[in-house]
Amino acid sequence: MAILEVENIRKSFGETEVLKDISFELNEGESVSIIGSSGSGKTTLLRCLNFLELPDEGIIRVKGDTLFDSDKQGDRSEETVRRNRLHFGLVFQSFNLFPQYTALENVTLAQLLALKEKRFELSEEEIRERGAELLGQMGLSNRMDNYPHQLSGGQQQRVAIARALILKPDVLCFDEPTSALDPELTGEVLKVIRALAEQKTTMIIVTHEMGFARDVADQVIFMDEGVIVEQGNAKEVIDNPKEERTRRFVAGFKNY
């Protein structure tokens, strides 16, 4: 059974239709890489899944529960949107860490706020222990008390990954997680994501790293001008694309 079902998602901004009838499924423990040129709708799709934007049309289901259905008015209150958002973790391009908080404080902040609102079962001590454990998994045990300005870009992105993981989302999403990094720092972040894939973390990864998408993801979706042009087994789509538009895109990456 699919953990995530996306059906016929459409999204427009003004007269510009950014997503046009997007549908796909993702099974638990699988990872899908979404590739495509800038402006193809990849980030907008992630924002719709994370309820940072509401689709104009379509259905989003997680574990069989319908979180969004454009044909039904449903409860679209801020509280419901916030609850729906907890099914997803999102790691942004630009880290989005709070500069006034340490690495550990950045990781645990959301859970501690939820604790104050009595929306979380763990104690404050347990939350901090979980945050420290995740930072350890990211190779940052000795950086927990550092502030963002004291960390490299790669380290900041690993803090952001730990922050997304602490809420135990059903689907972990990455929006071009290495695009803001210098080339020498890209590898350390990709190594973390590769380890998560090996642990069967369910993930959606928007990326321009073709070799990484081919070797790590189970599926690849190629988007162009707001539509899914091709999707399937990662190695097959990247090594032997069937669609001409996919072939032209992949051919632009000579060094993957």
Side-chain angles (χ1 to χ4, degrees):
M1 178 179 174
I3 192 171
L4 173 65
E5 299 169 87
V6 177
E7 297 180 11
N8 310 117
I9 293 293
R10 292 181 176 272
K11 180 65 179 178
S12 297
F13 296 103
E15 297 182 357
T16 303
E17 191 174 21
V18 180
L19 298 177
K20 308 170 185 177
D21 203 27
I22 300 294
S23 298
F24 68 95
E25 293 185 355
L26 184 61
N27 292 323
E28 186 169 6
E30 287 187 340
S31 58
V32 58
S33 285
I34 304 179
I35 61 174
S37 302
S38 297
S40 59
K42 307 183 303 296
T43 293
T44 299
L45 175 58
L46 284 191
R47 290 180 62 84
C48 285
L49 292 178
N50 284 270
F51 292 90
L52 297 173
E53 304 282 354
L54 284 182
D56 299 322
E57 298 179 24
I59 299 172
I60 299 172
R61 295 190 187 94
V62 174
K63 292 184 174 179
D65 293 332
T66 300
L67 304 186
F68 178 86
D69 186 342
S70 59
D71 290 336
K72 301 176 182 177
Q73 185 59 35
D75 181 359
R76 300 189 184 180
S77 66
E78 181 179 339
E79 177 61 29
T80 297
V81 169
R82 185 165 53 185
R83 186 168 60 249
N84 289 342
R85 196 174 288 153
L86 291 175
H87 291 280
F88 300 88
L90 179 56
V91 179
F92 299 90
Q93 298 179 33
S94 54
F95 325 139
N96 287 11
L97 300 180
F98 293 104
Q100 70 272 33
Y101 295 128
T102 65
L104 182 59
E105 289 169 339
N106 267 281
V107 170
T108 59
L109 180 62
Q111 277 197 327
L112 291 174
L113 288 174
L115 179 66
K116 289 181 179 179
E117 296 174 7
K118 303 186 185 303
R119 293 190 291 113
F120 211 75
E121 296 177 356
L122 295 180
S123 68
E124 183 172 337
E125 182 180 357
E126 289 170 327
I127 291 171
R128 295 188 190 282
E129 287 177 355
R130 173 64 176 157
E133 177 185 341
L134 283 168
L135 285 172
Q137 291 178 16
M138 299 296 117
L140 296 172
S141 294
N142 62 338
R143 295 288 188 175
M144 289 190 290
D145 296 325
N146 289 126
Y147 291 89
H149 75 273
Q150 297 172 314
L151 303 173
S152 70
Q155 290 169 338
Q156 289 184 60
Q157 191 62 296
R158 283 183 278 156
V159 172
I161 294 171
R163 178 180 60 185
L165 285 170
I166 197 169
L167 293 173
K168 297 184 178 180
D170 294 306
V171 182
L172 182 60
C173 303
F174 294 88
D175 186 10
E176 298 185 17
T178 61
S179 66
L181 300 177
D182 294 332
E184 63 267 25
L185 299 178
T186 294
E188 64 186 58
V189 172
L190 294 181
K191 181 179 178 182
V192 168
I193 301 174
R194 185 185 298 271
L196 292 172
E198 291 172 352
Q199 296 164 16
K200 298 301 180 183
T201 305
T202 308
M203 296 187 289
I204 299 174
I205 309 162
V206 170
T207 184
H208 287 298
E209 301 284 344
M210 290 298 104
F212 179 80
R214 178 189 59 194
D215 296 338
V216 173
D218 298 291
Q219 303 179 54
V220 159
I221 292 173
F222 170 59
M223 291 182 64
D224 188 36
E225 297 182 352
V227 301
I228 292 178
V229 175
E230 188 167 351
Q231 61 180 309
N233 176 272
K235 291 182 174 62
E236 291 179 6
V237 171
I238 293 180
D239 289 340
N240 298 292
K242 297 176 181 178
E243 302 295 329
E244 177 59 30
R245 278 194 283 178
T246 315
R247 284 196 290 269
R248 289 200 303 266
F249 176 78
V250 171
F253 291 85
K254 301 297 185 182
N255 298 318
Y256 75 78

